[in-house]
């Protein structure tokens, strides 16, 4: 199946069967998200993998009682850093310096520039930057799910603060941005399963200059 | 090549050869971006495809003289809607209603709810929403480039306002968010070509609950 076939096969699954997705498939999706590029390579997010049925049942009302929360096999919560501090930037570049066997100060001029960019931002701007990078990984992850023939529902319909408090994300310096419910489509019960996929036409979406 | 192999093969190419990428390959990347899901299906963005060398030469200083701007075959500018108005939401849902052969008012309660969500946002919040959706398509597009073995440089290092004014984006209700330079890696001259890909380790990035 080509990538375009996979993207045409996928849809925002509204009902799932509850069948378990093998963890090795989920690990491929998570690894794809981990490999996603981010601006300056900072990867300013975490992904929380939830399989505990009790916890999923608590999340469901926070997500307006959407059935796929508990019918999914795995729920992935994408959560961005609330702030991008100099300490975090140093942490990331210390790892890069170490893994590439570079002299300790090889990147310091570059790192100072990156830190300066973030220092000039408000905390809200830092979060918006982090959230956008999180959505790159989100896009890569849902593409990986499609190529693995795992159904995936991208979701923004939930009360972020309530979910964050339930999961203890504020203490981790994280704020949820989106959910990806992974499972298998329940074609018989999903009203969206057989509806035509609609996208804005190419000649409208793409501008050639 | 599996998706993970493709994601490991790709890197943020810093030098390209100038060789042309066949348009049919670029069209696959654009189609992948078009198929990317977005919240409420609104696709609040455009992608501007630029191949004109004179225009690319004008963009280069706006992007801090990065060489891949002119060494690329195609430059894709991802640009989000600056605002999400009720008119735009109606436009999108009229298309969905038409293409799915639904009665004219079948979605009107849902559409009113969607319009209410955006009406409660400031223009800046509307743009931030649109920008995040744009990054989903950005993530899907760069994944498609990798599976097609086309090098792609994701870039945020440019002066957005200057690029927007050069391309006439404000008149189109668009604001640039990121660039994707497409071409072929110049391995001999690219300092990054042979450096180890570094990502935050899985046990740090993924939290299991």
């Amino acid at each position: 199946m080509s990538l375009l076939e996979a993207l045409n096969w996928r849809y925002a699954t509204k009902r799932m069967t509850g069948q378990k997705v093998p963890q090795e498939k989920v690990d491929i999706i998570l690894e794809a998200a981990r490999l996603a590029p981010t601006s300056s390579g900072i990867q300013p997010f975490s992904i929380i993998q939830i399989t505990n049925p009790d916890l999923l049942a608590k999340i469901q009302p926070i997500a307006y009682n959407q059935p796929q929360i508990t019918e999914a096999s795995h729920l992935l919560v994408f959560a961005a850093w609330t702030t991008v501090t100099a300490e975090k930037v140093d942490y990331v570049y210390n790892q890069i310096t170490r893994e590439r066997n570079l002299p300790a100060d090889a990147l310091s001029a570059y790192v100072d520039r990156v830190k300066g960019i973030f220092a000039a931002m408000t905390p809200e701007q830092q979060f918006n930057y982090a959230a956008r990078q999180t959505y790159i990984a989100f896009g890569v992850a849902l593409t990986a799910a499609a190529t693995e023939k795992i159904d995936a529902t991208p979701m923004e319909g939930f009360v972020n603060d309530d979910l964050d408090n339930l999961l203890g994300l504020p203490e981790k310096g994280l704020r949820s941005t989106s959910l990806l419910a992974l499972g298998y489509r329940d074609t018989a019960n999903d009203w969206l399963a057989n509806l035509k996929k609609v996208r804005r036409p190419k000649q409208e979406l793409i501008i050639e200059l």
Side-chain angles (χ1 to χ4, degrees), chain A:
Chain A
M1 192 166 60
S2 76
L3 189 71
L4 291 187
E5 285 168 336
L7 290 171
N8 274 302
W9 170 83
R10 69 156 300 284
Y11 74 108
T13 310
K14 302 298 181 190
R15 298 297 304 269
M16 292 179 171
T17 60
Q19 194 193 329
K20 283 287 148 204
V21 177
Q23 185 62 43
E24 58 265 31
K25 291 272 186 186
V26 178
D27 287 344
I28 289 172
I29 295 165
L30 291 170
E31 178 66 2
R34 194 180 77 92
L35 289 171
T38 52
S39 177
S40 304
I42 290 182
Q43 298 182 277
F45 59 87
S46 280
I47 302 170
I48 299 103
Q49 170 186 294
I50 303 173
T51 52
N52 178 332
D54 296 337
L55 188 52
L56 292 171
K58 283 184 192 156
I59 292 172
Q60 193 161 43
I62 293 173
Y64 305 108
N65 290 311
Q66 294 178 82
Q68 64 274 47
I69 295 286
T70 49
E71 290 170 355
S73 163
H74 293 62
L75 184 70
L76 304 182
V77 179
F78 285 71
W81 290 357
T82 49
T83 56
V84 184
T85 60
E87 288 69 27
K88 287 177 183 168
V89 173
D90 274 332
Y91 178 84
V92 168
Y93 280 97
N94 285 342
Q95 188 203 353
I96 293 173
T97 302
R98 219 165 41 236
E99 289 206 25
R100 287 184 175 160
N101 292 313
L102 301 173
D105 61 351
L107 300 177
S108 45
Y110 178 77
V111 173
D112 284 345
R113 213 159 62 232
V114 172
K115 286 195 274 195
I117 291 170
F118 289 114
M121 291 184 188
T122 65
E124 191 61 22
Q125 288 171 326
Q126 292 175 2
F127 170 72
N128 282 330
Y129 153 85
R132 291 179 197 181
Q133 310 309 314
T134 306
Y135 273 76
I136 300 176
F138 190 63
V140 175
L142 63 87
T143 306
T147 61
E148 292 297 321
K149 280 251 181 188
I150 304 301
D151 280 300
T153 317
M155 304 169 74
E156 284 190 344
F158 61 98
V159 183
N160 299 60
D161 286 347
D162 291 355
L163 182 65
D164 296 352
N165 289 331
L166 176 67
L167 302 181
L169 298 189
E171 303 89 288
K172 293 183 168 73
L174 296 170
R175 195 187 296 171
S176 59
T177 58
S178 56
L179 308 178
L180 199 62
L182 301 175
Y184 296 98
R185 62 186 69 178
D186 180 357
T187 311
N189 292 304
D190 189 345
W191 57 271
L192 190 54
N194 296 308
L195 284 180
K196 184 185 173 194
K197 183 188 286 294
V198 180
R199 291 290 186 271
R200 291 172 56 214
K202 183 182 175 183
Q203 62 272 26
E204 187 186 302
L205 203 68
I206 314 295
I207 299 167
E208 293 184 27
L209 290 183

